[in-house]
Amino acid sequence: MNFRPRRICAPILAATLLAGGGAPAIARDHDDARRAVEAGEIRPLADILNTVKGKLPGEVVGVKLEREAGAWMYEFRVVDEKGRVFEIHVNARSGAVERTKEK
């Protein structure tokens, strides 16, 4: 399968930390994401996309960055050729696909 990101429709969101766990922390600004990249906590989105391009079932239509259970995760929204929507969680440091869920 060829993966060609043509555009990302949803804005990429930076994550913020929540004290005490709970729900995933989602973003206030891009500066948090940039700081995490500069600190080596996460890899840049372009690097992650290159790592997972053959593992995604379709076209990326949205991305956000979250902190889940202490780990940074990129959450990709992907639409396959049949129009099905998938939510794919990728470890933002290693690039490993952690889970895939059809929406």
Side-chain angles (χ1 to χ4, degrees):
M1 171 181 301
N2 286 333
F3 171 74
R4 291 177 283 132
R6 288 179 228 149
R7 65 176 188 238
I8 297 178
C9 298
I12 298 171
L13 301 176
T16 57
L17 301 175
L18 287 177
I26 303 179
R28 288 188 304 198
D29 62 34
H30 297 289
D31 290 335
D32 290 336
R34 184 176 40 78
R35 281 190 289 273
V37 169
E38 289 171 354
E41 295 176 22
I42 66 173
R43 290 173 42 200
L45 177 60
D47 289 354
I48 295 295
L49 283 170
N50 284 329
T51 299
V52 300
K53 64 184 170 188
K55 301 174 187 171
L56 300 179
E59 182 177 346
V60 174
V61 296
V63 179
K64 56 184 169 176
L65 180 62
E66 304 178 321
R67 188 138 178 132
E68 298 177 1
W72 287 105
M73 303 293 284
Y74 283 108
E75 179 185 301
F76 294 99
R77 289 284 174 139
V78 176
V79 177
D80 72 5
E81 58 193 32
K82 295 179 182 177
R84 296 178 299 184
V85 177
F86 294 88
E87 187 175 277
I88 301 170
H89 293 253
V90 176
N91 184 293
R93 177 176 256 167
S94 70
V97 175
E98 299 285 332
R99 65 185 182 277
T100 300
K101 177 177 157 184
E102 187 173 355
K103 296 304 271 177

